[in-house]
Amino acid sequence: MRSGLPRAAAATAPAALPPHLPGLDPAWSRLVATPAVGPEHAPGGPSPATRTWHVLDNAGQLAELGVEPVGTVLCVHGNPTWSYLWRSVLTAATETARAGGPAWRVVAVDQLDMGYSERSGVPRGLAQRVADLGALTDELGLTGPVVTLGHDWGGVVSLGWAVDHPDLLAGVVVCNTAVHQPADAPIPAPLRLALRPSVLGRATVLTPGFLETTLAIAHPPLPAPVRDAYRSPYRGADRRGGIGGFVADIPVDDRHPSAVELDRIAEGVRALGVPALVLWGPRDPVFLERYLDDLATRMPHADVHRFEGAGHLLPEDVDVAGAVLAWLGDRLPEGHVPTEVGAGLPADADADADTDAGAGLRADADVSRPVWAALDELADADDVALVEMAPGGGRPPRSVSWRLLSRRVREIAAGLADAGVQRGDRVSLLVTPGADLTAVLYACVRIGAVVVVADAGLGVRGLTRAVRGARPDWLVGALPGLTAARALGWPGRRIATPSVPPAPRVALGVEHTLAGLASRGAARLRAGVALPAAPAPTDTAAVLFTSGSTGPAKGVVYTHAQLAAVRDALATQYGVGVGTGLVAGFAPFALLGPALGARSVTPDMDVTAPGTLTARAVAAAAAAAAPPLREIAVVAAQTGSGTATTAISAEGTGGTEGTGRTEPSGEGVVVFLSPAALANVVATAGALTAEDHAALGRVRLFLSAGAPVPEPLLAEAARLMPAASAHTPYGMTEGLLMTDIDLAGIRAAAVGPAHTPARSQLSPVSQGSERQGLRSRGRGTGAGTGGGVCVGRPAAGVAVRIAPLDDLGAATGPLGTTPEVTGEIVLAAPHGKDHYDRLWLTDLAARRQVSTDRRWHRTGDVGHLDADGRLWVEGRLPHVVATASGVVTPVGPEQRIESVPEVDRAAVVGVGPAGTQQVVAVVETTPAARRPHLADPALAERVRATVDAPVAAVLVVPRLPTDIRHNSKIDRTRVARWAAGVLAGGRMVRP
């Protein structure tokens, strides 16, 4: 009866109510009879009078509560699940209404031939299913507002209903679905297999193979009772005809009977102007991320959240119910789009009167100087723009003039445009810091392409997640990056930075080289072809990935205006500009050098291991950044036919002699290093020569950020750079400069008036929204008596607020500036991020809007303000220990524990449920322990004596786990998980 399906697929059966199943409230279940509609109700032919559905509906429970629904969430499952998929949505919506929140009616259907609905025995194509759903909602009398929620092929059916009911529609939500199959791409391999004539009927109907395979790809695996619940309506071949019918109805090409309906829905989705949410599990072998890209293109206004690690059965893998209700509360709080945006955290009374920040850059802001402006302004200068101290291949240092850099940027920009790189295209840059990365980055920014930058320190797995998540259109890399991209299936058309021989070029899929693009662009510019129009200030400029030290790395989106604001914040705070030499051992600052007009020097180091930077390498870089007092004349490299192997050819460091030029006041050398790099610089200072000391003597400012920087380490570094002012800015990928303090300020804070912040003790970061962990070198960190690290006062344009903690360690209090109150640090600044990339829920949690026009960012750090307006950072919010007697923030206790002579480094973590957690100290000792063990009684007693809170246990480990990027942030979550296992009787292995 159905092509390719066995006779059992034609079996009929009436609708029924399900048995008692875990998580399924029997009060939700009902049977609804609807008139037969659509293609099966063809005039003149035999047709049934009615079809009977099984639906889950919480309307009765809402009526018992005496609440009026603000709207209806219409949930449609896919294949081979049933309405059981949405049980958590019904539960959460009902409990929210019971608690006094917005009351959403939830109707979850079993599509005909599926779940406990009627088995019709006839084919039900896509158009029939869309018509069926319309008949059901008519019978239910839904009057709107309605929000559709669909998964798998239920997403397509729900969107079809949405397209057909614009008068009722208030919003759409989809999970792992697709509305379009590209003509140039095959359908996913699992579906190709299932559609084979020899497989289709056997796998989908005669056996439960298709069902069991679907249930097996949940992450984490489904509990046995839940698996049995999904199986319950499909026991027997005569109950599985709908599963086979759904697979057979997949439009593999435009000749398929359902292709016309799928195309109609796909085009209709483009016209949906209602709020939209796309939730996605990237570990889906069927609905690949190209389908997410297509949905985002059709609904550019949609909010998107990718749940890293989740897969096809997204509502089982993650809290989809919580995500949907959070989205409804934000976008449709009363069933419709609000006219005014409400507050997240309560605002303090003086928020409106503040003048300390221009937070929340307005969409119509006039940014007169784009981020590449200095390249245009210095296009005729022969001074050195950048120096690579270790360009690779055993070559000597090479320098590039402003004239050459500006020209190459324009040539590559023109070449990229000619190759098809368009405004808004994403370009992933898998290139180490240096001339090539700088040139291609500014070329992309100039033509409006979006640069994607992920730190190589993320490792192969982290980089794979980041690149796949960002979905670049183009990928620029050297041979190692291109080889990894090929092997790991990273998306994007390939551009190589070096010249590539024909064989590996084909093997790696390389379409262009930078040198080839530069040559191509130069020809176009000589022919008078103009560069594309400059992007608007509000256009997206970059996606920068966090270090991933507190979970998967997050993509942070910056607009052109915000990048320009970052440049201006650094210039204002530190006086960096034309004539300044910038030695950057941290990639983001190295890339900002040309924007600042500074002479950028990349030191000889492994960028994935900051601790490899030596004192001599910094001295050499400082010498290159501040050459003898003369004008630098750079001889452009010969780029004769076939001789250029990279976009910017090596020029050497020699240069010709020129007329002298005295550096004006404010010039000099600025050095930026991570704490791990700075520690190794101090440790290797014994190898410095007199010439090295002289070079370091010309440094006027050095910065160290990325993690806490102990005062003794800063002091030792200051002795190496005696003319320099030592600063430790506090910031994160989401905002590179938020506060600042110098060495004198740290010392002043250490001896300032005693303060004891409410519920406070901690000490973390100087850079990184996921920063944590204190790498102590020497004793003391410049903390006040209440604990924590003083990170100084807000930078220009930055506002700082504190959201006080409750007894469970959650930041629920009103934003304020009251001194000595510990809570989450909430910031606002014009140079902060725009949003997280495809992480809508993360963005929602990170932003806090108050009654002013500012956009606040929840940092996830905890700390307090003192009476002098200085900010003290006490740790990360997830690391707060909620004990029965109050909350304990970790850094303060860690600082005091590290005053014990045998302790080199400490982590304070909580074990047990929030509200009754026990404080556990985990320490590294000097000398280092060979294996983990309980501390001996004497050491445990000395540790406990330093901490105000009771310490349940003291554990010793050879080494505490730290992050990859900075090598200094302790992974307290991992340590806490390890400690809980050990104290529960688990093996004493290394954390």
Side-chain angles (χ1 to χ4, degrees), residues 37 109 130 139 146 161 219 247 314 346 408 427 457 514 525 527 682 689 711 726 818 884 895 898:
V37 295
V109 308
V130 173
E139 187 65 29
V146 176
W161 186 95
H219 306 283
V247 174
L314 191 67
R408 281 291 191 269
V427 183
L514 274 192
L525 293 174
V682 169
T689 66
E711 184 273 341
T818 304
Q895 292 173 317
E898 287 168 352

Side-chain angles (χ1 to χ4, degrees), residues 526-627:
R526 286 194 300 270
V529 179
L531 289 177
T538 53
D539 287 349
T540 298
V543 179
L544 311 177
F545 276 85
T546 63
S547 70
S549 59
T550 57
K554 300 181 288 291
V556 179
V557 176
Y558 278 86
T559 65
H560 284 268
Q562 289 157 344
L563 279 187
V566 172
R567 172 201 62 200
D568 296 342
L570 291 170
T572 300
Q573 189 74 27
Y574 301 120
V576 181
V578 176
T580 304
L582 179 62
V583 177
F586 188 52
F589 282 82
L591 295 174
L592 282 169
L596 291 159
R599 184 169 49 251
S600 304
V601 181
T602 306
D604 183 0
M605 64 180 293
D606 179 354
V607 294
T608 67
T612 61
L613 183 63
T614 66
R616 293 214 66 194
V618 173

Side-chain angles (χ1 to χ4, degrees), residues 516-775:
L517 289 175
S519 177
R520 185 170 172 174
R524 287 176 61 83
L525 293 174
R526 286 194 300 270
V529 179
L531 289 177
T538 53
D539 287 349
T540 298
V543 179
L544 311 177
F545 276 85
T546 63
S547 70
S549 59
T550 57
K554 300 181 288 291
V556 179
V557 176
Y558 278 86
T559 65
H560 284 268
Q562 289 157 344
L563 279 187
V566 172
R567 172 201 62 200
D568 296 342
L570 291 170
T572 300
Q573 189 74 27
Y574 301 120
V576 181
V578 176
T580 304
L582 179 62
V583 177
F586 188 52
F589 282 82
L591 295 174
L592 282 169
L596 291 159
R599 184 169 49 251
S600 304
V601 181
T602 306
D604 183 0
M605 64 180 293
D606 179 354
V607 294
T608 67
T612 61
L613 183 63
T614 66
R616 293 214 66 194
V618 173
L629 299 180
R630 58 180 175 81
E631 182 180 16
I632 306 170
V634 179
V635 179
Q638 298 299 314
T639 56
S641 176
T643 60
T645 59
T646 62
I648 299 182
S649 299
E651 296 182 323
T653 57
T656 59
E657 292 293 323
T659 58
R661 180 172 64 88
T662 303
E663 295 181 351
S665 175
E667 292 192 358
V669 177
V670 175
V671 175
F672 187 99
L673 306 174
S674 73
L678 191 65
N680 199 56
V681 167
V682 169
T684 58
L688 291 172
T689 66
E691 185 179 24
D692 294 333
H693 280 290
L696 292 176
R698 299 196 60 189
V699 176
R700 69 167 175 84
L701 170 70
F702 77 85
L703 313 170
S704 188
V709 187
E711 184 273 341
L713 176 59
L714 275 182
E716 291 180 64
R719 283 190 284 273
L720 295 179
M721 295 173 268
S725 175
H727 288 250
T728 61
Y730 163 69
M732 56 218 69
T733 307
E734 296 88 340
L736 292 179
L737 174 61
M738 292 300 181
T739 70
D740 180 76
I741 191 169
D742 62 10
L743 181 58
I746 292 172
R747 288 168 171 166
V751 298
H755 61 286
T756 307
R759 302 187 180 92
S760 138
Q761 290 173 319
L762 159 154
S763 139
V765 38
S766 284
Q767 173 96 15
S769 114
E770 57 299 320
R771 57 226 159 275
Q772 230 23 58
L774 181 61
R775 179 62 181 241

Side-chain angles (χ1 to χ4, degrees), residues 623-949:
L629 299 180
R630 58 180 175 81
E631 182 180 16
I632 306 170
V634 179
V635 179
Q638 298 299 314
T639 56
S641 176
T643 60
T645 59
T646 62
I648 299 182
S649 299
E651 296 182 323
T653 57
T656 59
E657 292 293 323
T659 58
R661 180 172 64 88
T662 303
E663 295 181 351
S665 175
E667 292 192 358
V669 177
V670 175
V671 175
F672 187 99
L673 306 174
S674 73
L678 191 65
N680 199 56
V681 167
V682 169
T684 58
L688 291 172
T689 66
E691 185 179 24
D692 294 333
H693 280 290
L696 292 176
R698 299 196 60 189
V699 176
R700 69 167 175 84
L701 170 70
F702 77 85
L703 313 170
S704 188
V709 187
E711 184 273 341
L713 176 59
L714 275 182
E716 291 180 64
R719 283 190 284 273
L720 295 179
M721 295 173 268
S725 175
H727 288 250
T728 61
Y730 163 69
M732 56 218 69
T733 307
E734 296 88 340
L736 292 179
L737 174 61
M738 292 300 181
T739 70
D740 180 76
I741 191 169
D742 62 10
L743 181 58
I746 292 172
R747 288 168 171 166
V751 298
H755 61 286
T756 307
R759 302 187 180 92
S760 138
Q761 290 173 319
L762 159 154
S763 139
V765 38
S766 284
Q767 173 96 15
S769 114
E770 57 299 320
R771 57 226 159 275
Q772 230 23 58
L774 181 61
R775 179 62 181 241
S776 273
R777 293 197 175 267
R779 300 299 165 201
T781 59
T785 57
V789 169
C790 183
V791 295
R793 294 182 173 82
V798 177
V800 178
R801 296 288 180 272
I802 302 296
L805 304 180
D806 61 21
D807 290 338
L808 295 179
T812 57
L815 297 181
T817 57
T818 304
E820 318 305 349
V821 173
T822 288
E824 184 175 13
I825 299 169
V826 185
L827 303 170
H831 55 279
K833 69 168 176 62
D834 191 73
H835 62 276
Y836 289 111
D837 187 43
R838 291 186 171 180
L839 292 171
W840 183 83
L841 288 168
T842 307
D843 205 45
L844 177 67
R847 59 179 166 85
R848 284 297 183 264
Q849 294 176 313
V850 293
S851 57
T852 68
D853 62 353
R854 297 180 183 176
R855 182 171 184 176
W856 297 89
H857 170 66
R858 289 182 60 168
T859 65
D861 289 331
V862 290
H864 65 277
L865 292 164
D866 65 18
D868 293 325
R870 297 173 299 196
L871 178 64
W872 295 71
V873 181
E874 305 178 41
R876 291 289 294 166
L877 191 62
H879 303 154
V880 171
V881 183
T883 72
S885 56
V887 300
V888 176
T889 54
V891 173
E894 289 170 351
Q895 292 173 317
R896 288 187 276 279
I897 291 170
E898 287 168 352
S899 68
V900 175
E902 304 100 302
V903 175
D904 181 59
R905 185 164 58 171
V908 167
V909 298
V911 171
T916 59
Q917 284 184 311
Q918 302 297 308
V919 176
V920 175
V922 183
V923 302
E924 292 178 10
T925 57
T926 303
R930 296 182 61 185
R931 61 181 64 89
H933 62 271
L934 283 170
D936 63 68
L939 175 59
E941 181 179 356
R942 287 192 290 275
V943 167
R944 288 188 172 101
T946 65
V947 181
D948 296 336

